[in-house]
């Protein structure tokens, strides 16, 4: 597959897109009988709290939100965590791994495009995650929701990438594995690639991605960088 | 328990607060092997889509959103619905029943307070639900998100109730069974009563309800209407 997009920059979501957060699911299994359900609730509440605080006009950074979502989850599952266990779970968000193909695909893409990260994550999370995965050097910009104090899929956070890159919306390709992020970016006006790693289902709620890939190597290939 | 609130009007959420939507869960069991999970996903996606469309500035009415959430759920569970089955599920939202204590408690409260409904529901849903449950006569105002084209917990929808009642925020008591609605109403500035029918957990995300009850009879009692 080759696509003609005429874009100058590629902006990436981070969690689930470039970096793997399955270490968190593993750690959840250490503290809860049904670790998978525990992790699912934690992640669902984390996203819900990002949406709710934005809707209420009460931004709090993503570490705060992640902690409150953990508080909810712990109470919901009747789990007791000691200080060490709690820290180990939260630290999971600071110590992701890059998906295997990501470093080499980014290196290729960076030869031709200006690359950026645009994430709901707090600056400390992004810094830590990009350092742990050693992919920081590929990016010209690392942009956090913190700068605009709203979360995806508000248009204001996508606007941040357009401002920083000084490019028209349709000269930017946005890549995300998260359905709500694909919707939000497309709604804003970016060209959008859905990196559907897990065969997930897109929410039938508006504009569709321009194209779909299953790993980042495909993106380099689709853009003609072989 | 008696509370002194000095309020003039009481504004109610509808679904799960005054009217029981468990008929929907029953109908989900007719079409899906795991009816409970099917219903849970449908409801979760319905709320998520309300949040997402509001965040993206792309309001669609609650019937549309409910249908799209059903589309997602059907695909997710690999269920096939014929036209009749689909209609029967969606009609569940138009044919709720009042919780048993609600009609008599509303009659009592209406003697002393101006009552209103403030719901995410589309006008046709509210009309149909209030007619089916025969509680319409108790309300001076029936207010839908449709009027402001944003969903709870945006402050703009709560503002609608303040405008219509022409009362200061703190002279209005807002009653809801939904955690995000309790947060939103309190964030806006209402006095808030959390009608916690099911022993649910409040999201630890901001201001707490002024008081908590487990059915509407308790509200009349708490306000001294015996």
């Amino acid at each position: 597959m080759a696509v003609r997009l005429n874009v100058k920059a590629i902006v990436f979501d981070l969690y689930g897109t470039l970096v793997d957060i399955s270490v968190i699911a593993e750690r959840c299994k250490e503290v809860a009988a049904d670790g998978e359900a525990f992790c699912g609730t934690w992640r669902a509440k984390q996203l819900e709290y990002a949406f709710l605080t934005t809707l209420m006009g009460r931004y709090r950074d993503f570490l705060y939100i992640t902690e409150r979502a953990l508080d909810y989850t712990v109470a919901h599952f009747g789990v007791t965590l000691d200080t060490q266990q709690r820290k180990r779970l939260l630290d999971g968000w600071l110590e992701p791994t890059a998906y295997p193909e990501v470093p080499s695909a980014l290196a290729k893409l960076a030869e031709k495009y200006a690359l950026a990260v645009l994430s709901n994550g707090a600056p400390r999370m992004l810094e830590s995650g990009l350092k742990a995965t050693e992919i920081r050097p590929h990016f010209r910009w690392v942009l956090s929701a913190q700068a605009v104090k709203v979360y995806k899929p508000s248009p204001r956070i996508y606007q941040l990438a357009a401002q920083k890159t000084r490019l028209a919306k349709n000269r930017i390709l946005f890549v995300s594995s998260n359905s709500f992020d694909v919707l939000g970016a497309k709604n804003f006006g970016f060209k959008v690639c859905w990196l559907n790693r897990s065969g997930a289902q897109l929410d039938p709620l508006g504009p569709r991605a321009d194209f779909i890939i299953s790993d980042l190597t495909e993106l380099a290939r689709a853009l003609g960088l072989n």
Side-chain angles (χ1 to χ4, degrees), chain A residues 89-103:
Chain A
L89 286 178
L90 289 167
D91 281 353
W93 289 96
L94 304 175
E95 301 159 359
T97 52
Y99 287 105
E101 87 286 7
V102 162

Side-chain angles (χ1 to χ4, degrees), chain A residues 91-210:
Chain A
D91 281 353
W93 289 96
L94 304 175
E95 301 159 359
T97 52
Y99 287 105
E101 87 286 7
V102 162
S104 63
L106 287 177
K108 242 180 218 169
L109 292 165
E111 287 172 17
K112 191 168 165 200
Y113 300 95
L115 307 186
V117 164
L118 179 68
S119 168
N120 275 347
R124 183 158 82 85
M125 296 171 78
L126 303 187
E127 204 177 300
S128 171
L130 292 170
K131 193 174 168 192
T133 54
E134 300 180 352
I135 58 176
R136 177 66 185 87
H138 301 301
F139 299 104
R140 194 174 307 174
W141 303 278
V142 175
L143 309 171
S144 159
Q146 183 77 19
V148 284
K149 294 193 161 48
V150 295
Y151 286 113
K152 299 172 179 178
S154 164
R156 286 175 53 206
I157 182 166
Y158 301 108
Q159 179 64 39
L160 182 62
Q163 279 166 354
K164 288 286 174 181
T165 58
R166 298 185 181 204
L167 289 169
K169 299 171 184 182
N170 63 358
R171 305 302 294 274
I172 295 173
L173 175 64
F174 188 81
V175 181
S176 180
S177 64
N178 293 301
S179 177
F180 71 89
D181 200 12
V182 167
L183 292 173
K186 196 68 203 156
N187 175 60
F188 175 70
F190 287 146
K191 303 272 176 72
V192 177
C193 169
W194 182 23
L195 202 175
N196 190 2
R197 291 186 181 275
S198 60
Q201 214 182 313
L202 195 67
D203 293 292
L205 204 63
R208 289 166 181 275
D210 294 280

Side-chain angles (χ1 to χ4, degrees), chain A residues 33-47:
Chain A
D34 188 347
E36 206 174 314
F38 183 98
C39 190
T41 297
W42 186 11
R43 177 71 173 152
K45 280 288 167 184
Q46 183 196 45
L47 285 178

